[in-house]
Amino acid sequence: MWASLASHLAYHVTTVINSVCVCVCVCVCVCVCVCVCVCVCVYRKIELYEMGWSLRDGLKECLVAAAPYGGPIALLRQPQRPSSSARPQLEIYSSSGANMASFPWKSGPVRQLGWTVCDDLLCIQEDGTVLIYDLFGAFKRHFSMGNEVVQNQVLEAKVFHSPYGTGVAIVTGASRFTLATNIDDLKLRRLPEVPGLQGAPSCWVVLTQDRQTKVLLANGVDLYILDNTSCTPVTPPGLSPQACSIVNMAVSFSYKYLALFTDSGHLWMGSANLKDKLSEVDTKVRTPPKQMVWCRRPKSQQPSVVIMWDRLLLVAGECTDTIQYTLDEESVCVAELDGVRIIGGSRHELLQEVPSACQDIFKIASMAPGALLLEAHKEYEKSSQKADEYLREIKEQSVLGEAVRQCVEAAGYEHEPETQKTLLRAASFGKCFLSNYPPEPFVSMCRDLKVLNSVREYTVGIPLTHTQYKQMTVQVLIDRLVYRKLYPLAIEICRYLKTPEYQGVSRVLKHWACCKVQQKEEPDESIAHAVSVKLGEAAGISYSEIAARAYECGRTELAIKLLEFEPRSGEQVPLLLKMKRSQLALSKAIESGDTDLVYTVVTYLKNEMNRGDFFMTLRNQPVALSLYRQFCKHQEQDTLKDLFNQDDDHQELGNFYVKASYKEKKLEARLSLLQSAVDEYNKAKNEFAAKATEEEMKLLRFQRRLDEEKGEALLGLSLQETLHALLTSNFHKQAEQLYRDFRVPDKRYWWLKLTALAEKDDWEEMEKFAKSKKSPIGYLPFVEVCVKQHNKYEAKKYVSKVTPEQKVKAHLAIGDLEGAAEAAIERRSEGEISTVLSRCSPTTDRALLERLNRARSTAAKK
Amino acid sequence: MAHSVRRDAPELPDFSLLKRLARDQLIYLLEQLPGRKDLFIEADLMSPLDRIANVTTLKQHDVDKLYKVEHKPIFYACENLLEEQGIFGDVTTDEWSFYLLPLDDDIISLELPEFFRDYFLEGDQRWVRTAGSALHLLHSVYGPFSKVYGIGRCSKMAYESWREQVEEGEQRARQAEIGNVFLIDRDVDLVTPLCSQVVYEGLVDDIFRIKCGCVEFCPDVTSSDKSIKVMLNSQDKVFNEIRNEHFSQVFGFLSQKARNLQTAYDKRSGMNIKQMKTFVSEELKGLKQEHRLLSLHIGASESMMKKKTKQDFQELLKTEHSLLEGFEIRECISYIEEHINRQVSMVESMRLLCLLSLTENGLLPKDYRSLKAQFLQSYGIEHLLTFSNLKQLGLLVEQQPGETLTVMESRVGKLVNDKTAGKLTDAFSSLAKKSNFRALGRRLNLVPKSDEEYDLRVPRDMAYIFSGAYIPLSCKLIEQVLERDGWTGLEEVTRMLNGHEFAVTAGSNGSDARVKTDSQRIILVMFLGGCTFSEISALRFLGREKGIKFIVVTTAITNSARLLESMLDNHA
């Protein structure tokens, strides 16, 4: 049984190893790992690269900026003697020290270098100008941090990152701070003055909290928070009293934690909102540090800060013990999500807290499940019986699953491919003894490592950790490779990870094409051809973006050629607008069916063209015209009028004036608008509307007169409402006049007057009204209206006047069942008798019921 | 109800997925803004948002306060507005592409009540693409569709927009859940939504107004001092059984249900302790719930009974039926006039006027002018604009000289008996240019013979939703097209409906055609411009008859009042 199992295993392991092997052969980095322990935390320093650059004086006298996530390094070497006319040299290297660009600096003195999230280099000059270069040293653009700076000069500057992108903060010679949260959407904010601050503060950092960017600064021992509107003094809880000045500060990668270093050599650690203190450590070093950065991995409970002096590197954690490393060369620390990179003239190292999975496995004499599994596998390789013993031990504790998980996880944290392989083999070995163990974590770890190892390779030089890679996502990694013009590798990774074409291969190809169109020496034809050949098959390529790039480089003809490849008409619109082909843009926008886009073009045209041409253009595009009308209805009433005018649409103009009249409060203005409406309706040969509008004017005038004379509030009511109001207020004469003047149909007037009288319980007047002449609506309404006002007594008065056909209804309305029965029987109508019957209840008089039933059958026979 | 199900109808796809998609996207947007934030929501969006993500969900994602914005911002011009206000740079905009809100197992709404006015009246096509995108979303989640039918200009454009999006996007082969699609423009059939609804769900909508699948019953219904908000969908077991019933049947059903419930409660009397225990733990809660719902629906029915069994309502229905049948038109006109004279209700009067115009193909100039004058004098001259809108949409028009044939028809109809009238009108219709409703009615048998008794307990066709007086044109078209698998044989009908019909086989792979899967019996009907609950009831009936299931996708649930209110030009 053992043998069969073994052969099964052998097969399994080989397949796994095959997949790992590929990544191993490309790796040349040498790892030397020494672990040191502070409190319960273990730290290790791994060598990432031996630097490929040859710097004569190391990093001495250099401005250095290294981007996080294993990004590029920029050096600005100051000339040896300030007086010398030699220009400083700007150099850009990969993390492994491979030169990517190098050129003499010809602009003004630089205060600070920094990298954006898109791997662009920011050079902040003394005069507040910020120049942006790409990875290869090509100038992209520049912007200024404000006019004030030119005079006062930048004393210090910082580049920071937040969810909004890359930001820049400066402090000027006038001790004023200015910051821009996102350099791609530049909005300069000049922060309020700091009381008592002269020159630069002793130290400062930029914080991002609650979507606000603030500056935290120290002036001696005083701490201030500066936001857009105010400068607030703050005190960190429990700061050692010996301190006279805060000389350095550092904020963590996530902006959650803050570290302060005082002149008394104390290191205070706490939350960035200054509400909680985590710990305080006396470093016993009183010299101000050169650099201080946070070093903690996500989810770790241990705060720790790395402090650097000229020859010393110190890791301070929660307890008083510190770890010290001697530095033998000038170095720079780069804060990372899960550690600190230390870049020196010859070496590039990673200092981090050892992940617990690795600790468990590699700790000496560890009995953790992962450690046992690793041991078991080692014995198995040696074909030793002991493998079985170890396995048994794991299985007895039922922690095999945990063991596999640990090995897989630990593999992710290891930089050395051999170690990765060993751990993965052990995991794979353990997996064989588990049924139902999900394969995904193992498989995806193998994939991730293969990708990571290939980008960590010396020639690429992106020393990402697994944690960073997961945080950064594949998409961003692909972007970074693309910025470095490593197109084949990027495509290789996309294909290997089976990234959907949109996010993967197509995107890479698009970048390639964007780069291609900038090659000035090649003719338009051949570029367009090359692009279409290469991109032809890829899904979701945005040709318009490529064309836009071509246009930016001044190659309009090429842009137009490329746009022709764009299948989505909507995508062509923005560029067409930019290239001033607005008519074509409008047709394309309409073709796309995207109304937002049509609006964009219409708005653009409106600003570009004179009114006449604009209207003419719209006239030829009904879709755009109706959209524009809709917009005008809500936003630009006057333009709407012009549009109707242009079309001689008098009907709509009439409507327009009527509508306008209702927005007008002043009566005279209202009347004049209505008069305009009348004129337009007449022109439109709409006599009805013209007359109705004239009558409205007449009514308004009447209402005004009455309002003035009698203090009524009639203005604006409809004719019906006016009449109703007059009748309920006993202005019968005026009501009569209106009724005649406006030729109100008798029927409606009678209904109106009837209800009005009933509503104010004027029964006497109602009776008079009923007798005034023969009612055009009959007398049933009188009965019903009285009943509705709960006056049956009055209702009865009119029952007798009701026509024979409506008698039954009238009797029923007042609840007179007998009367209704009499009337129905008299009329010998089967339907009516049935109606009466349906209203009868069990309490109804028997005799009446019988009479009704008899009458019904007689009526039916007929 | 004694509906015979012809064969096992297929299961409906699970549309809660759409809610999940929308919620996830919203959360994604919220998370783009780290930290605490306040949310300002347009009043109209409150209810749909509540269906997607309730306050708890929002709070979980750091939403601090919620504000209701009452005025209507016009979104498409937002950027311009912001620019004018000089705050453009300080604002970032993200779009939450929320297209579809599942209101029930078989109803999905785009929640765009403005669609009808914007598209059909203003000619604004901005929603066409939205409709196309909604269709695209459904297609990519529940498709691929194999056949698409449609009628109307907007349907056609929405279809084209969808096709474009399909071609642009990725295509994945998957098992279709929805096989066929039918797109229909609301203006193909304007008569149906203008009729009084008499099926329970429609009636509740007409009287209490269902908003986003939720109705607020007033104290009058709840017989307490509070209003209660109730979700009306298939989860409500009582409602589910009566929603499609003709109103006259509902009361009988509810009292039967009440008796059953009583019997269930009564079981308790003979129980020993153990039985009682299981009863309390297993049945009582269900019974209590049912009890609560039952009393609510009984309350609602009573309240509706009070309103709707009155003589007035009967007369109103009689008039509507006469209009649909084209009978005694003069009397109808006097009825409408009296309706205005009595100032019953502005919208109702307008509805009757429109119904008259639609069925009669316009009003005689004399009638048109006098009724319009009466209306304007009653409700104010601003309705000149309303009338202008109604005219533009063809809802209320004046017959042009030379078009009076239909009126002659009706006059002749009054003089001679039915049969002769039929022959005569046939002759007239060939002369008249657009005697559409009458001719359509005849060709599609929309108006059953009125001399036969119609048993509402056992409906024999979709006409039951209008008391047996009229089969909704929209639903009849759907039935006919599905039966014929296209528009063949309906040429004259489509000509009268102004064309724009199409039938496209979308699925290119032939294997689909061979395998007659369940998905072929699931039909998605998309109403552009809104549909009524009565139409949904009619389609459910048709589905049961044919052993198919309909899924209704609509830009909004509408009814006569909503439709006409959207025609008003509020000057306020």
Side-chain angles (χ1 to χ4, degrees):
Chain A
M1 188 201 143
W2 179 246
S4 80
L5 185 63
S7 76
H8 170 72
L9 268 184
Y11 165 74
H12 194 91
V13 171
T14 356
T15 44
V16 172
I17 291 170
N18 279 344
S19 73
V20 184
C21 274
V22 197
C23 60
V24 177
C25 53
V26 294
C27 262
V28 284
C29 52
V30 188
C31 283
V32 183
C33 173
V34 186
C35 299
V36 196
C37 173
V38 187
C39 303
V40 285
C41 264
V42 184
Y43 290 83
R44 66 181 178 191
K45 206 160 81 167
I46 306 166
E47 179 165 315
L48 296 170
Y49 300 107
E50 241 176 296
M51 294 307 274
W53 58 31
S54 49
L55 305 176
R56 208 184 307 147
D57 299 304
L59 296 174
K60 255 182 224 150
E61 311 293 328
C62 276
L63 262 183
V64 185
Y69 291 98
I73 306 166
L75 301 179
L76 185 67
R77 185 170 299 282
Q78 304 293 356
Q80 299 291 303
R81 284 174 300 279
S83 59
S84 95
S85 59
R87 292 185 185 282
Q89 185 80 4
L90 184 73
E91 291 167 353
I92 299 174
Y93 294 94
S94 76
S95 276
S96 57
N99 188 286
M100 297 168 86
S102 172
F103 57 96
W105 185 253
K106 290 177 185 160
S107 295
V110 175
R111 270 278 171 249
Q112 181 76 35
L113 296 175
W115 291 95
T116 71
V117 282
C118 307
D119 276 357
D120 283 331
L121 179 64
L122 300 180
C123 307
I124 306 164
Q125 294 191 149
E126 243 172 36
D127 62 357
T129 313
V130 181
L131 294 95
I132 307 181
Y133 291 83
D134 76 3
L135 262 176
F136 297 97
F139 176 73
K140 288 179 92 169
R141 62 187 178 93
H142 75 275
F143 63 89
S144 162
M145 289 301 287
N147 292 332
E148 178 236 10
V149 190
V150 182
Q151 247 185 350
N152 293 322
Q153 306 253 304
V154 176
L155 292 184
E156 284 175 23
K158 287 190 200 295
V159 174
F160 58 94
H161 305 283
S162 72
Y164 306 102
T166 303
V168 171
I170 56 162
V171 54
T172 65
S175 300
R176 290 297 290 267
F177 286 87
T178 299
L179 59 81
T181 321
N182 180 5
I183 56 154
D184 291 324
D185 178 17
L186 196 69
K187 273 174 292 215
L188 294 177
R189 298 192 204 278
R190 192 157 180 248
L191 303 185
E193 215 167 330
V194 183
L197 180 65
Q198 299 278 318
S202 39
C203 57
W204 57 288
V205 287
V206 180
L207 294 176
T208 302
Q209 281 166 350
D210 286 339
R211 298 203 303 283
Q212 253 207 25
T213 309
K214 305 168 185 174
V215 167
L216 176 71
L217 68 125
N219 186 20
V221 77
D222 299 325
L223 267 183
Y224 299 95
I225 292 248
L226 256 184
D227 61 19
N228 289 347
T229 51
S230 61
C231 173
T232 326
V234 282
T235 357
L239 182 68
S240 149
Q242 291 117 296
C244 304
S245 169
I246 295 165
V247 293
N248 207 330
M249 58 173 83
V251 68
S252 73
F253 212 73
S254 60
Y255 292 104
K256 270 194 194 138
Y257 301 100
L258 178 75
L260 304 171
F261 193 89
T262 67
D263 55 351
S264 58
H266 285 85
L267 175 72
W268 179 94
M269 284 177 268
S271 61
N273 56 18
L274 289 164
K275 288 206 174 106
D276 309 292
K277 173 181 169 177
L278 292 170
S279 75
E280 194 166 35
V281 179
D282 183 4
T283 59
K284 313 215 167 55
V285 187
R286 300 205 165 200
T287 338
K290 263 177 64 192
Q291 215 184 340
M292 188 162 92
V293 285
W294 277 85
C295 172
R296 65 186 293 289
R297 50 182 326 111
K299 286 181 198 143
S300 159
Q301 295 306 310
Q302 302 294 326
S304 60
V305 172
V306 171
I307 313 169
M308 189 178 73
W309 287 270
D310 265 338
R311 296 252 152 224
L312 176 71
L313 193 73
L314 183 140
V315 185
E318 200 155 35
C319 48
T320 44
D321 288 339
T322 56
I323 310 169
Q324 306 201 349
Y325 298 94
T326 318
L327 287 177
D328 49 11
E329 56 184 348
E330 184 92 10
S331 301
V332 192
C333 293
V334 187
E336 288 282 3
L337 175 69
D338 55 346
V340 174
R341 282 187 294 128
I342 301 153
I343 302 167
S346 60
R347 266 190 315 281
H348 188 162
E349 292 169 313
L350 173 68
L351 175 68
Q352 62 170 183
E353 181 192 324
V354 180
S356 58
C358 299
Q359 273 189 52
D360 284 344
I361 291 179
F362 293 114
K363 208 158 54 183
I364 293 161
S366 167
M367 293 296 278
L372 293 176
L373 179 61
L374 188 63
E375 212 50 45
H377 181 248
K378 268 186 200 153
E379 297 300 333
Y380 169 76
E381 298 262 84
K382 288 190 263 173
S383 308
S384 152
Q385 283 264 346
K386 279 192 187 156
D388 189 40
E389 281 166 33
Y390 281 116
L391 263 181
R392 252 175 233 279
E393 195 173 334
I394 304 171
K395 286 182 94 173
E396 268 163 27
Q397 300 174 48
S398 338
V399 287
L400 188 53
E402 173 63 12
V404 174
R405 198 197 55 74
Q406 271 185 354
C407 286
V408 173
E409 196 193 331
Y413 294 127
E414 292 302 325
H415 272 245
E416 177 64 50
E418 269 315 312
T419 324
Q420 294 167 2
K421 268 199 314 189
T422 315
L423 286 163
L424 285 174
R425 284 202 189 103
S428 162
F429 173 71
K431 240 158 50 86
C432 294
F433 302 97
L434 286 168
S435 50
N436 298 334
Y437 189 82
E440 291 83 17
F442 180 80
V443 173
S444 68
M445 183 57 80
C446 290
R447 287 214 180 107
D448 290 349
L449 283 177
K450 180 162 174 169
V451 172
L452 281 177
N453 288 339
S454 65
V455 299
R456 284 169 190 165
E457 193 202 341
Y458 191 80
T459 49
V460 180
I462 304 179
L464 277 183
T465 66
H466 189 254
T467 317
Q468 290 163 17
Y469 169 63
K470 282 293 161 193
Q471 175 73 24
M472 170 191 224
T473 71
V474 186
Q475 278 74 31
V476 178
L477 177 62
I478 300 296
D479 281 344
R480 301 248 155 137
L481 293 174
V482 164
Y483 298 145
R484 285 166 170 73
K485 298 189 184 167
L486 298 168
Y487 304 113
L489 178 62
I491 288 183
E492 208 57 44
I493 289 176
C494 291
R495 295 212 169 115
Y496 176 67
L497 294 176
K498 300 196 175 69
T499 317
E501 276 205 14
Y502 279 95
Q503 299 159 8
V505 175
S506 296
R507 218 154 46 109
V508 178
L509 286 174
K510 185 197 81 189
H511 278 286
W512 167 81
C514 285
C515 178
K516 182 84 183 169
V517 296
Q518 295 172 43
Q519 290 174 355
K520 297 246 155 60
E521 62 282 0
E522 261 194 76
D524 292 348
E525 275 303 333
S526 77
I527 290 182
H529 180 72
V531 168
S532 77
V533 165
K534 202 144 221 158
L535 274 55
E537 292 298 297
I541 287 280
S542 164
Y543 281 94
S544 48
E545 264 181 72
I546 304 167
R549 187 61 64 88
Y551 177 69
E552 276 167 30
C553 306
R555 303 182 76 158
T556 315
E557 285 311 307
L558 177 59
I560 291 169
K561 277 200 177 70
L562 288 168
L563 261 191
E564 280 164 18
F565 294 123
E566 176 63 63
R568 291 163 296 179
S569 37
E571 296 290 311
Q572 307 177 8
V573 173
L575 186 58
L576 285 171
L577 278 185
K578 230 188 238 171
M579 300 198 298
K580 310 250 179 252
R581 315 264 161 137
S582 40
Q583 299 277 356
L584 188 58
L586 186 58
S587 334
K588 291 284 180 188
I590 291 167
E591 206 177 285
S592 78
D594 182 345
T595 41
D596 279 345
L597 212 53
V598 181
Y599 270 122
T600 314
V601 182
V602 167
T603 322
Y604 180 87
L605 291 177
K606 188 179 143 201
N607 297 333
E608 284 298 288
M609 297 173 135
N610 68 47
R611 221 169 164 79
D613 290 349
F614 174 57
F615 283 175
M616 273 320 279
T617 310
L618 287 185
R619 229 177 156 169
N620 298 327
Q621 301 279 8
V623 178
L625 180 60
S626 68
L627 281 170
Y628 185 61
R629 263 204 199 123
Q630 193 72 342
F631 170 78
C632 292
K633 257 183 204 168
H634 294 289
Q635 297 297 325
E636 285 179 20
Q637 291 283 334
D638 286 343
T639 317
L640 192 64
K641 196 170 83 184
D642 296 348
L643 275 172
F644 292 141
N645 254 325
Q646 188 195 261
D647 292 351
D648 291 327
D649 191 341
H650 299 293
Q651 174 65 32
E652 281 296 342
L653 275 169
N655 290 348
F656 174 82
Y657 286 121
V658 170
K659 206 172 198 172
S661 80
Y662 280 93
K663 294 204 176 102
E664 185 55 60
K665 291 273 171 294
K666 283 194 221 86
L667 185 67
E668 282 313 319
R670 200 154 162 186
L671 286 169
S672 89
L673 281 166
L674 285 172
Q675 185 55 52
S676 309
V678 171
D679 296 346
E680 294 298 337
Y681 285 139
N682 277 329
K683 278 187 210 155
K685 301 212 165 46
N686 187 343
E687 289 152 36
F688 181 88
K691 194 164 150 274
T693 316
E694 272 170 359
E695 291 208 339
E696 171 70 4
M697 292 167 68
K698 202 163 89 186
L699 179 64
L700 284 171
R701 290 197 183 104
F702 176 88
Q703 288 169 335
R704 177 176 55 181
R705 211 176 54 234
L706 219 65
D707 285 357
E708 281 166 3
E709 286 170 13
K710 315 274 180 190
E712 291 287 302
L714 299 172
L715 202 67
L717 297 181
S718 74
L719 180 60
Q720 181 90 9
E721 289 161 337
T722 314
L723 281 167
H724 189 269
L726 289 174
L727 287 170
T728 40
S729 321
N730 276 329
F731 292 116
H732 291 285
K733 220 181 85 198
Q734 284 82 355
E736 289 292 319
Q737 190 200 333
L738 269 188
Y739 152 68
R740 276 192 309 273
D741 284 1
F742 286 87
R743 284 183 306 271
V744 176
D746 281 353
K747 283 184 179 178
R748 199 173 87 240
Y749 186 66
W750 274 67
W751 269 108
L752 172 63
K753 186 158 177 180
L754 177 61
T755 9
L757 292 174
E759 270 171 35
K760 56 172 198 155
D761 296 325
D762 194 347
W763 309 112
E764 207 176 309
E765 185 68 32
M766 186 189 282
E767 211 167 337
K768 252 198 262 166
F769 180 48
K771 285 174 185 159
S772 65
K773 64 177 192 177
K774 191 172 176 290
S775 160
I777 52 172
Y779 292 92
L780 184 60
F782 282 77
V783 178
E784 285 175 351
V785 165
C786 292
V787 171
K788 207 175 163 199
Q789 285 298 112
H790 309 292
N791 194 337
K792 276 196 189 163
Y793 174 78
E794 286 296 328
K796 274 183 194 152
K797 288 186 184 167
Y798 303 102
V799 172
S800 58
K801 297 186 120 186
V802 166
T803 56
E805 297 86 47
Q806 295 181 322
K807 272 264 157 58
V808 177
K809 269 191 190 172
H811 280 289
L812 285 176
I814 57 166
D816 173 13
L817 208 56
E818 272 177 52
E822 287 303 332
I825 293 168
E826 195 173 307
R827 283 179 36 82
R828 294 183 198 146
S829 145
E830 195 194 347
E832 283 176 9
I833 298 173
S834 303
T835 314
V836 179
L837 273 169
S838 72
R839 292 288 208 84
C840 291
S841 67
T843 51
T844 314
D845 180 27
R846 276 267 157 145
L848 188 67
L849 272 176
E850 271 167 32
R851 274 185 64 205
L852 277 167
N853 277 322
R854 258 202 318 276
R856 182 160 69 168
S857 51
T858 334
K861 266 177 220 151
K862 257 178 49 183
Chain B
M1 192 156 49
H3 292 305
S4 55
V5 174
R6 223 183 60 177
R7 57 189 143 151
D8 282 353
E11 286 292 310
L12 286 169
D14 174 19
F15 291 117
S16 61
L17 187 67
L18 295 172
K19 277 194 198 178
R20 240 178 15 245
L21 279 173
R23 177 164 53 230
D24 289 354
Q25 214 206 344
L26 178 65
I27 290 171
Y28 172 77
L29 287 179
L30 289 177
E31 293 289 316
Q32 296 285 293
L33 292 169
R36 286 199 316 198
K37 54 223 145 218
D38 296 339
L39 207 55
F40 290 78
I41 304 164
E42 195 193 313
D44 287 352
L45 283 176
M46 282 299 227
S47 304
L49 181 73
D50 195 43
R51 300 286 171 279
I52 297 293
N54 54 23
V55 178
T56 330
T57 317
L58 294 176
K59 297 252 158 167
Q60 274 167 5
H61 297 278
D62 282 334
V63 172
D64 199 23
K65 291 195 190 91
L66 283 164
Y67 298 94
K68 196 157 143 185
V69 183
E70 293 288 354
H71 66 91
K72 276 204 164 202
I74 296 109
F75 217 72
Y76 50 81
C78 250
E79 289 188 4
N80 289 333
L81 276 184
L82 292 171
E83 213 169 323
E84 277 168 25
Q85 302 294 321
I87 47 171
F88 180 59
D90 294 322
V91 176
T92 54
T93 49
D94 280 305
E95 191 179 342
W96 178 34
S97 43
F98 158 59
Y99 295 121
L100 298 165
L101 178 71
L103 293 179
D104 206 341
D105 298 344
D106 59 350
I107 312 174
I108 302 172
S109 168
L110 273 75
E111 291 299 313
L112 290 174
E114 57 269 56
F115 189 104
F116 183 74
R117 184 185 168 110
D118 283 351
Y119 178 79
F120 293 106
L121 181 65
E122 318 270 5
D124 178 344
Q125 299 182 2
R126 72 191 146 128
W127 300 123
V128 175
R129 195 178 162 86
T130 313
S133 306
L135 204 55
H136 181 52
L137 178 60
L138 288 165
H139 175 258
S140 47
V141 181
Y142 304 103
F145 307 145
S146 39
K147 195 121 195 198
V148 182
Y149 313 97
I151 181 159
R153 222 165 81 89
C154 185
S155 293
K156 195 150 199 187
M157 287 195 287
Y159 165 78
E160 277 157 9
S161 163
W162 163 60
R163 280 311 308 173
E164 265 167 38
Q165 294 179 51
V166 169
E167 274 151 34
E168 280 169 22
E170 276 179 294
Q171 317 233 0
R172 279 169 299 143
R174 58 189 300 282
Q175 184 68 45
E177 287 183 79
I178 298 173
N180 300 320
V181 175
F182 194 106
L183 301 168
I184 182 167
D185 281 19
R186 183 69 274 173
D187 73 344
V188 166
D189 172 13
L190 289 168
V191 172
T192 307
L194 288 180
C195 294
S196 290
Q197 303 196 70
V198 284
V199 161
Y200 186 73
E201 189 167 10
L203 199 50
V204 171
D205 190 34
D206 272 0
I207 295 181
F208 302 105
R209 296 226 173 180
I210 301 175
K211 212 169 140 194
C212 245
C214 178
V215 73
E216 187 166 355
F217 281 136
C218 49
D220 170 36
V221 170
T222 59
S223 47
S224 66
D225 51 355
K226 280 197 309 256
S227 290
I228 298 182
K229 279 193 176 171
V230 188
M231 294 293 298
L232 291 181
N233 54 39
S234 56
Q235 303 297 312
D236 178 341
K237 292 286 177 286
V238 177
F239 175 70
N240 199 31
E241 286 185 71
I242 53 172
R243 67 197 304 188
N244 301 316
E245 294 290 319
H246 187 274
F247 184 64
S248 61
Q249 305 305 308
V250 169
F251 224 66
F253 173 85
L254 288 176
S255 51
Q256 179 59 44
K257 192 96 190 159
R259 276 197 294 280
N260 293 350
L261 199 64
Q262 190 57 48
T263 328
Y265 273 123
D266 288 345
K267 275 203 310 195
R268 284 178 300 181
S269 56
M271 285 181 185
N272 59 29
I273 289 192
K274 197 174 167 215
Q275 285 169 328
M276 187 64 97
K277 217 170 161 187
T278 35
F279 174 80
V280 170
S281 64
E282 285 165 16
E283 285 177 59
L284 194 61
K285 202 177 156 218
L287 288 177
K288 279 246 168 90
Q289 167 78 355
E290 207 174 321
H291 188 164
R292 196 182 67 84
L293 292 170
L294 195 57
S295 54
L296 268 177
H297 288 296
I298 289 175
S301 307
E302 269 175 352
S303 155
M304 291 194 288
M305 279 283 223
K306 261 185 233 156
K307 292 191 182 92
K308 296 295 182 185
T309 49
K310 274 204 267 176
Q311 186 109 34
D312 300 357
F313 189 58
Q314 296 302 333
E315 273 170 24
L316 183 76
L317 282 184
K318 210 181 110 205
T319 307
E320 274 181 37
H321 293 170
S322 298
L323 286 174
L324 291 166
E325 283 170 39
F327 222 70
E328 299 182 330
I329 298 303
R330 260 300 126 199
E331 280 79 348
C332 292
I333 296 176
S334 342
Y335 178 85
I336 298 172
E337 196 180 354
E338 192 183 313
H339 201 268
I340 300 173
N341 285 342
R342 296 172 70 168
Q343 306 279 299
V344 181
S345 138
M346 191 261 283
V347 173
E348 282 280 281
S349 295
M350 198 193 292
R351 179 172 75 85
L352 290 169
L353 283 171
C354 292
L355 213 49
L356 171 69
S357 168
L358 285 168
T359 52
E360 285 294 296
N361 219 7
L363 274 66
L364 281 176
K366 185 174 70 72
D367 293 334
Y368 181 70
R369 276 157 208 233
S370 92
L371 289 169
K372 193 163 143 186
Q374 296 255 37
F375 193 97
L376 289 178
Q377 289 193 345
S378 300
Y379 297 110
I381 197 205
E382 68 263 35
H383 289 292
L384 260 185
L385 307 178
T386 314
F387 279 105
S388 162
N389 289 343
L390 293 173
K391 183 175 169 188
Q392 199 177 327
L393 239 160
L395 274 167
L396 179 54
V397 296
E398 181 179 355
Q399 282 173 358
Q400 296 305 313
E403 273 189 53
T404 48
L405 286 166
T406 44
V407 186
M408 279 170 70
E409 259 182 61
S410 64
R411 283 190 187 148
V412 172
K414 269 194 285 181
L415 294 172
V416 288
N417 65 40
D418 267 358
K419 247 184 193 169
T420 5
K423 274 184 195 158
L424 275 170
T425 44
D426 270 345
F428 280 127
S429 76
S430 58
L431 291 169
K433 255 187 190 162
K434 38 176 255 185
S435 175
N436 298 349
F437 183 75
R438 295 269 173 265
L440 282 165
R442 269 191 306 278
R443 190 144 299 271
L444 293 168
N445 276 325
L446 298 181
V447 182
K449 294 239 160 50
S450 58
D451 45 352
E452 285 172 50
E453 195 61 31
Y454 197 97
D455 187 356
L456 290 168
R457 266 175 311 176
V458 194
R460 59 168 186 262
D461 54 26
M462 293 187 278
Y464 93 94
I465 63 155
F466 291 122
S467 316
Y470 163 61
I471 299 177
L473 168 59
S474 53
C475 304
K476 188 72 178 182
L477 277 176
I478 295 166
E479 180 204 82
Q480 288 293 309
V481 169
L482 292 178
E483 217 161 70
R484 291 158 199 262
D485 188 21
W487 296 93
T488 333
L490 295 171
E491 288 80 4
E492 202 177 333
V493 171
T494 56
R495 189 181 52 75
M496 287 189 280
L497 290 172
N498 223 352
H500 294 294
E501 77 282 3
F502 56 94
V504 199
T505 310
S508 49
N509 42 342
S511 61
D512 273 9
R514 271 187 277 120
V515 192
K516 190 89 175 168
T517 51
D518 270 359
S519 69
Q520 293 302 312
R521 289 191 285 133
I522 294 194
I523 322 279
L524 189 146
V525 179
M526 187 172 197
F527 284 89
L528 295 152
C531 83
T532 63
F533 280 119
S534 292
E535 284 169 310
I536 299 176
S537 291
L539 287 176
R540 286 183 184 135
F541 174 86
L542 183 63
R544 280 193 299 270
E545 293 281 297
K546 307 260 174 200
I548 51 185
K549 282 260 169 83
F550 285 99
I551 294 153
V552 174
V553 179
T554 176
T555 50
I557 296 287
T558 192
N559 61 19
S560 52
R562 288 192 196 103
L563 199 130
L564 291 174
E565 279 161 11
S566 75
M567 291 296 111
L568 306 180
D569 264 296
N570 288 11
H571 58 263

